[in-house]
């Protein structure tokens, strides 16, 4: 088997992206990737219940990047084509780094934008041209209102950890952003839990979505979970 000929290619992922994943040591798609990648490539909106650690970032990032396969990479648009919303700056940076890493074969320009960071640098990057914007909802709204972040060319919106975003009070921002994005875009929601308010957002903003549920790992008695959890107790810095 050549490096390009792995299980990711069988899901519809372009050979150069699949090869990049092999180099990163990804040997096979995780369950969420097996289900979400083909559905996203087929153009469906998705409502996915999946926790962190399941490989959900690659599940939405790869289909977004796959759109660049076969495109002339030298010709880049001025406006972003994908917007990923995350609840925290930490997740924002982590997702942006992952998209950048997976998108290396295409030189995809990825920009993390979050509050607390000087807005000037984010504005300069947006003016130079960005393909994928990963943002916390508050800063995204700010940049949209100031007309630096333009949604005209957005074909995919991802809500990552949607339940966390609602818990942090971003419901109204999310509503406004989704209403401002082009109506014919693809919308993909990930949430660890599916309370009524999440379903309501999905009903309002997703079109005929496919539902995907990845149950939490059940660890048989006497065995250890594959995801190790460690807690560190640290002193306050004063
Ligand atoms: P996530 O749930 O997206 O935060 O991903 C959790 C971790 O799994 C990250 O460190 C990824 O790099 C890693 N990962 C994602 N997909 C795969 C895969 N198919 N094979 C191996 N590792 C993966």
């Amino acid at each position: 088997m050549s490096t390009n000929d792995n299980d990711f290619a069988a899901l519809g992922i372009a050979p150069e992206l699949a090869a990049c994943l092999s180099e990163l040591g990804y040997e096979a798609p995780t369950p969420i990737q097996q289900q979400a990648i083909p559905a996203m490539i087929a153009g469906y909106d998705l409502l996915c219940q999946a926790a962190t650690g399941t490989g959900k970032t690659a599940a939405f990032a790869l289909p977004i990047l796959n759109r660049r396969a076969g495109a002339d990479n030298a010709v880049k648009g001025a406006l972003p084509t994908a917007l990923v919303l995350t609840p925290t700056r930490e997740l924002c940076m982590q997702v942006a780094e992952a998209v950048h890493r997976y998108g290396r074969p295409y030189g995809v320009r990825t920009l993390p934008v979050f509050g607390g960071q000087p807005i000037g640098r984010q504005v300069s990057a947006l003016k130079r041209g960005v393909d994928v914007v990963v943002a916390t909802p508050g800063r995204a709204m700010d940049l949209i209102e100031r007309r630096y972040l333009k949604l005209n060319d957005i074909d995919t919106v991802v809500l990552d950890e949607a339940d966390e975003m609602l818990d942090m009070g971003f419901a109204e921002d999310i509503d406004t952003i989704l209403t401002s994005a082009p109506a014919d875009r693809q919308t993909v929601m990930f949430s660890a839990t599916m309370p009524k308010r999440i379903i309501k957002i999905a009903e309002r903003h997703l079109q005929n979505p496919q539902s995907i549920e990845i149950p939490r790992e059940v660890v048989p008695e006497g065995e250890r979970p594959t995801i190790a959890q460690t807690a560190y107790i640290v002193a306050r810095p004063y």
Side-chain angles (χ1 to χ4, degrees), residues 8 25-30 33 51-58 94 101-102:
F8 284 98
Y26 293 13
E27 287 173 5
T30 64
Q33 291 162 4
T52 296
T54 51
K56 66 184 165 64
T57 313
Q94 202 179 307
R101 205 155 22 111
Y102 303 143

Side-chain angles (χ1 to χ4, degrees), residues 22-207:
S22 294
E23 277 171 32
L24 291 173
Y26 293 13
E27 287 173 5
T30 64
I32 183 78
Q33 291 162 4
Q34 277 168 20
Q35 293 189 51
I37 289 173
M40 253 184 100
I41 290 176
Y44 284 100
D45 281 1
L46 297 185
L47 182 55
C48 304
Q49 183 164 7
T52 296
T54 51
K56 66 184 165 64
T57 313
F60 64 72
L62 295 172
I64 289 173
L65 297 166
N66 213 45
R67 299 226 168 95
R68 299 198 80 88
D72 182 352
N73 292 319
V75 181
K76 289 183 171 157
L79 299 182
T81 53
L83 174 66
V84 182
L85 295 175
T86 65
T88 62
R89 76 166 74 177
E90 288 76 18
L91 187 62
C92 177
M93 288 191 288
Q94 202 179 307
V95 168
E97 164 61 28
V99 173
H100 174 72
R101 205 155 22 111
Y102 303 143
R104 197 153 283 164
Y106 304 134
V108 166
R109 300 162 303 173
T110 311
L111 180 70
V113 300
F114 45 81
Q117 194 193 42
I119 203 162
R121 220 179 310 152
Q122 298 169 355
V123 168
S124 311
L126 286 167
K127 281 184 177 165
R128 280 198 302 274
V130 168
D131 302 304
V132 180
V133 173
V134 186
T136 50
R139 183 53 65 97
M141 271 304 296
D142 199 359
L143 288 163
I144 292 166
E145 277 167 0
R146 297 193 202 190
R147 301 188 192 284
Y148 291 120
L149 175 54
K150 300 192 177 83
L151 304 182
N152 311 46
D153 286 0
I154 293 289
D155 58 30
T156 315
V157 177
V158 178
L159 305 183
D160 195 8
E161 301 199 349
D163 50 358
E164 293 282 336
M165 288 199 279
L166 295 193
D167 285 348
M168 294 175 73
F170 287 132
E172 211 173 299
D173 287 345
I174 289 172
D175 228 39
T176 310
I177 293 167
L178 288 174
T179 309
S180 316
D184 60 355
R185 64 166 195 271
Q186 185 175 37
T187 315
V188 181
M189 267 177 89
F190 287 82
S191 191
T193 58
M194 283 292 158
K196 254 202 198 123
R197 353 184 251 135
I198 293 283
I199 307 283
K200 276 217 173 117
I201 291 198
E203 281 170 356
R204 208 160 41 241
H205 295 290
L206 270 55
Q207 290 178 29

